[in-house]
Amino acid sequence: MTRWGLIGASTIAREWMIGAIRATGGDVVAVMSSNAERGRKYADDHGIAKAVTSLDDLVNDPAIDAVYISTTNELHRDQALAAAKAGKHILCEKPLAMSLDDARAMVQAAKDAGVVLATNHHLRNAATHRAMREAIEAGRIGTPLAARVFHAVYLPPHLQGWRLEKPEAGGGVILDITVHDADTLRFILDSDPVEAVAFSQAGGMGKAGLEDAVMGVLRFQNGVIAQFHDGFTTKFAETGLEVHGTEGSLIGRNVMTQRATGSVTLRDANGEHDLPLDQTNLYETALSAFHAAIAGKGKPSATGEDGIWSLATGLAVVEAARSGGAVKIAPGI
């Protein structure tokens, strides 16, 4: 059994990750929160034996094998470096860090320590996106030409904190949502993004100059151009992802979500039909792969290098929106 420590008493851990860890043969034995009272209540609410306020106490606990980092983005680097130094495997929320240098340092530290580092990009674990990737690999839409991502949602009130108020913590929709688009498109298309153009928007939710919506286009190495719309401000939109090729189109509806839901329709010269899907919990799929990876069987569904790519894309989109020009995407790996 893999014994986990949570770095951050977070909403995503409460809603998704604690259950996924336990459902895939692991257990959560400790949680770290900078607020002792909050940490103790969190531990009691979720059947976690130990609550600590010190990062050193958590990562140096011999009863812990792996850590899940879900703190604000500016804290990820130092927490991951401390965990790697202590010999703990690491599953880190996206974006990995605030800069590419920091993200690369995290990946290198894990390699040097001989521990697994993974990025919690959940969407590539969805049955919908895996079916789209397989259909493209099988040539069912011919040569892919273009893609469209609709990932504009409404950020619920209980999450409307640092994401809308703290640029120093990596707030804003681009580093929160666009990085997911980048990773999902890389996975489905099996190609890397090379260039970005974008316009950001301040629609009234973001404070301190933070963008709360963005539209843009990514160009991929294989020639695909991908349009994306991400937002915190759209209360009534549906999510989706489409890929259009020379011989057909894949239409994914309600697929940019944490839930195991949505559909994929293949439309070609023979008409249209829905692809069969084996829907499973996205985070349990991720944790199964992670547990296997630390046992020496395969690799995580999204590696540290995948996290570097999505961060590089997000930072390029930020720069493109600021500059008004096209920005090259260079992860440096």
Side-chain angles (χ1 to χ4, degrees), residues 40-158:
R40 185 66 263 165
K41 184 179 186 307
Y42 192 97
D44 291 343
D45 288 347
H46 301 291
I48 301 169
K50 187 182 297 185
V52 300
T53 57
S54 162
L55 177 64
D56 286 344
D57 286 347
L58 187 114
V59 299
N60 291 308
D61 187 338
I64 292 173
D65 307 306
V67 300
Y68 169 57
I69 300 173
S70 58
T71 50
T72 51
N73 301 329
E74 84 283 11
L75 301 175
H76 291 177
R77 181 199 64 181
D78 289 350
Q79 292 167 343
L81 294 180
K85 184 178 179 181
K88 310 302 184 188
H89 302 289
I90 305 158
L91 176 58
C92 186
E93 269 305 321
K94 53 75 214 169
L96 279 185
M98 296 285 287
S99 74
L100 287 173
D101 284 345
D102 287 351
R104 288 191 291 260
M106 293 162 65
V107 171
Q108 188 60 51
K111 287 181 179 177
D112 293 344
V115 299
V116 173
L117 169 65
T119 311
N120 201 27
H121 275 307
H122 62 286
L123 288 169
R124 61 168 56 208
N125 298 303
T128 49
H129 297 140
R130 294 189 170 206
M132 295 176 84
R133 176 183 168 103
E134 290 166 5
I136 292 170
E137 286 179 339
R140 299 185 71 179
I141 64 167
T143 301
L145 298 173
R148 297 194 292 183
V149 181
F150 317 104
H151 201 172
V153 297
Y154 182 68
L155 190 66
H158 72 282

Side-chain angles (χ1 to χ4, degrees), residues 43-274:
D44 291 343
D45 288 347
H46 301 291
I48 301 169
K50 187 182 297 185
V52 300
T53 57
S54 162
L55 177 64
D56 286 344
D57 286 347
L58 187 114
V59 299
N60 291 308
D61 187 338
I64 292 173
D65 307 306
V67 300
Y68 169 57
I69 300 173
S70 58
T71 50
T72 51
N73 301 329
E74 84 283 11
L75 301 175
H76 291 177
R77 181 199 64 181
D78 289 350
Q79 292 167 343
L81 294 180
K85 184 178 179 181
K88 310 302 184 188
H89 302 289
I90 305 158
L91 176 58
C92 186
E93 269 305 321
K94 53 75 214 169
L96 279 185
M98 296 285 287
S99 74
L100 287 173
D101 284 345
D102 287 351
R104 288 191 291 260
M106 293 162 65
V107 171
Q108 188 60 51
K111 287 181 179 177
D112 293 344
V115 299
V116 173
L117 169 65
T119 311
N120 201 27
H121 275 307
H122 62 286
L123 288 169
R124 61 168 56 208
N125 298 303
T128 49
H129 297 140
R130 294 189 170 206
M132 295 176 84
R133 176 183 168 103
E134 290 166 5
I136 292 170
E137 286 179 339
R140 299 185 71 179
I141 64 167
T143 301
L145 298 173
R148 297 194 292 183
V149 181
F150 317 104
H151 201 172
V153 297
Y154 182 68
L155 190 66
H158 72 282
L159 296 179
Q160 290 179 20
W162 64 270
R163 289 174 176 85
L164 294 171
E165 297 170 355
K166 294 185 177 181
E168 70 276 10
V173 75
I174 296 171
L175 291 185
D176 198 62
I177 292 184
T178 308
V179 291
H180 277 312
D181 299 353
D183 184 72
T184 307
L185 287 166
R186 281 188 69 238
F187 176 75
I188 289 174
L189 298 171
D190 194 23
S191 185
D192 295 323
V194 295
E195 193 172 19
V197 295
F199 291 100
S200 61
Q201 181 183 57
M205 287 179 67
K207 310 297 191 298
L210 285 173
E211 81 286 342
D212 50 30
V214 63
M215 284 188 178
V217 178
L218 301 175
R219 185 188 302 278
F220 282 77
Q221 195 170 37
N222 64 359
V224 169
I225 50 176
Q227 165 193 335
F228 61 91
H229 175 205
D230 302 323
F232 288 150
T233 54
T234 26
K235 292 183 178 180
F236 305 107
E238 292 186 342
T239 70
L241 192 154
E242 303 174 356
V243 183
H244 305 282
T246 56
E247 305 298 331
S249 291
L250 292 166
I251 313 297
R253 297 183 177 91
N254 297 311
V255 295
M256 306 301 286
T257 173
Q258 293 171 293
R259 298 178 298 279
T261 187
S263 64
V264 178
T265 301
L266 172 64
R267 186 180 298 152
D268 59 17
N270 298 315
E272 62 177 59
H273 65 274
D274 289 345

